[in-house]
Amino acid sequence: MFSPSQPANPSTDRPSQIPNFPSGDRSSQLPNFQADRILNQEQRDRRLILHGTLNSQPGILILERTAIPVSIKTTTTPSSPSSSSSPTTTTTTTTNLPARLTHPTQIGRNDIYSWHLASSPSDIPDLKVNLIHPCSASHVQKYSAQGYRVVTETPGVYRDKVRPWIERWREEGKGKRLRWVWNILEGRAEGETVLMSTVEEGGKEGFVLVPDLNWDGETFSSLHLLALVARRDLWTLRDLRRSDVGWLERMREQLLDAAEELYKDKGIERDQLKMYLHYQPTYYHLHIHIVNVALEAGATQATGKAFGLETLVAQLKSMAPAPGQQQQQRGENHEEEEEDVGMADVDITYTIGEGSELWKEVFGPLKESSEREKEKEKEKEKEKEKEEVQVKVEAEEKEENENVRPGENTSTTGEMESMASG
């Protein structure tokens, strides 16, 4: 049913002259990384992100605590080079871990409860390390600590501001930002990590399934896979239309089948998996996240970032166009296109980092413009209130003048003259 490690067919719309992705084991270079500052500490302080240099080029090193393994494999080589015996592998369960702890130190106690610090045995890898090298300014921005905002992206803002921004992002450096995606889809890189590929002729139905960068590949309660679709016309969930419902439903079933087939010996079943898409995503080629439902939900699965695949399909199914809506918003001239509504036609509310290019170039300026307009409206309201008060004062003065009776002052003067002559 599936053909593992089958490279995708090249597409005519991919950038030309894409160089091969760098390969080779860089583990031996990690100790040479010279950190100069901490970019961020997150996920309950279990993840540390450092900026520094390696071989005189900027880089980012991400250190994350790994899960405690259920079992540990240890390989022992013969002590004598002349020995004819081969290396032996021993599997030790973590039930023996307490006896192998080093440097235990108590930091607190209350009644039957006590708290300690200790070091794990040296043969247990307790850090997962990601290296981005050389890194760009956008990488630094992405991994730096920053504030977040909630924005509502209307169809008009998407059409006039966000979509052109995405186009510029994709075209930067003649596709350099998506080079690693093309390399995976076309079989030029990460061939050893590709789990499955179902690419068909033309790339309409296919996907390439790989482990997510943040999964350690060992802890199946935190299973995290990534499906890169072969279609090049889909950049984000905004590109999904009602006509894509059948394709999405087939894709969902294929992904569930693939994950279940790959990890059935690990006890993974289809109803233990959930799928979602990010908006805004980190990169603009449509991809689907497949995770174990037991995976601790962090910021990447939070409301305002992750949109469930099944919910998106249901929303697309329920869409109905208003008369002339599509021709007005997309500029389409064909009646058949008017019926094909999609995610580009709805408001989407999501979170965005203050340090992101999209905030700085699109939503930050939009907010400033909106606040200026609000200030202008407030000034107009104040001027209107002043005018209304002035009109009211003038009306009251006029009313008082009209209420003074003719001859009233003359009569009073006559009375005063009579009193004087008497």
Side-chain angles (χ1 to χ4, degrees), residues 297-335:
T300 60
Q301 294 188 56
T303 300
K305 181 65 175 179
F307 294 78
L309 178 60
E310 291 82 0
T311 302
L312 286 171
V313 170
Q315 186 173 359
L316 288 169
K317 284 182 176 180
S318 66
M319 285 183 174
Q325 177 185 16
Q326 297 304 302
Q327 289 185 3
Q328 179 182 0
Q329 290 188 355
R330 290 202 182 101
E332 301 285 357
N333 296 318
H334 303 291
E335 292 184 2

Side-chain angles (χ1 to χ4, degrees), residues 138-151:
S138 61
H139 289 121
V140 175
Q141 168 270 311
K142 173 185 174 182
Y143 288 103
S144 295
Q146 58 186 301
Y148 287 85
R149 304 284 180 144
V150 176
V151 299

Side-chain angles (χ1 to χ4, degrees), residues 55-73:
N55 299 330
S56 302
Q57 290 184 308
I60 293 173
L61 199 67
I62 305 171
L63 307 171
E64 185 174 357
R65 290 288 181 186
T66 60
I68 298 175
V70 176
S71 60
I72 307 162
K73 291 184 178 181

